[in-house]
Amino acid sequence: MWRPSLKRCFHFSLSLMKKLKGRSPTEQRWVMRQLRDPYVKASHDQNFRCRSAFKLLEMDDKFQLLQPGYSVVDCGAAPGAWSQVAVQRVNSAGTDPELARGTVIGIDLLNIPPLDGARFLCSHDVTHPTTHAKLQELLPCGQAHVILSDMAPNASGFRDMDHERLIAMCLSLIELAEKILLPQGSLVCKYWDGVFAHQLQKELCSVFSSVRTVKPDSSRKDSAERYFLARMYRKPEK
């Protein structure tokens, strides 16, 4: 289903090969990995903004997180691939008039090109109270069915430090959930495996009835990347 045409494969491969000229060995290895990656080719063929779309597609196909009419918040949304998937699955562009029409709102510090069916809050910090207030203003009844997060900090070169920073970002989503997530709602967040992952899992288990670890097939095998899929949200008692 994801196999691009031979013509598109040829032009895509040719453009990547041109990028090898004058590059360092590390950069050349990255380009060659992209050239061999079937999900990179598939993302071009299906007009997704990047290969990460297939991670969410896999998870949604298996767990049915996104339903027509749902409201979805996509954290760390740039360049917008997960929002593309969400728009399709919740029918936020109204493509199928017979289905309920959902809502998709993406947030990122970076700029995100416009996408029919999604509202993007660019130059917004997902951890900031003003962003939370803006979400409550834009979401139907101020609440969401699903929070998605594929966000990650800029790499520092120190694996343990980056791991800890990403865990902190994920923990901030629990505070966001308290403000906008509907009871029985779901949260998907990326984390990198490491010593603080158990702390994040423990915090998620305190407010979600079901928490599991997911490693999509489209996630590179040599990557420490994992996802927590948390379902059936319970708002904490004050």
Side-chain angles (χ1 to χ4, degrees), residues 22 45 50 55 63 73 94 103 146 150 178 185 187 195 221:
D45 191 45
C50 63
K55 300 171 191 176
F63 300 108
V73 173
T103 300
V146 182
D150 198 34
E178 186 173 350
L187 167 67
V195 295
K221 300 298 183 288

Side-chain angles (χ1 to χ4, degrees), residues 65-79:
L65 294 164
L66 306 172
Q67 302 292 331
Y70 273 18
S71 297
V72 179
V73 173
D74 182 10
C75 303

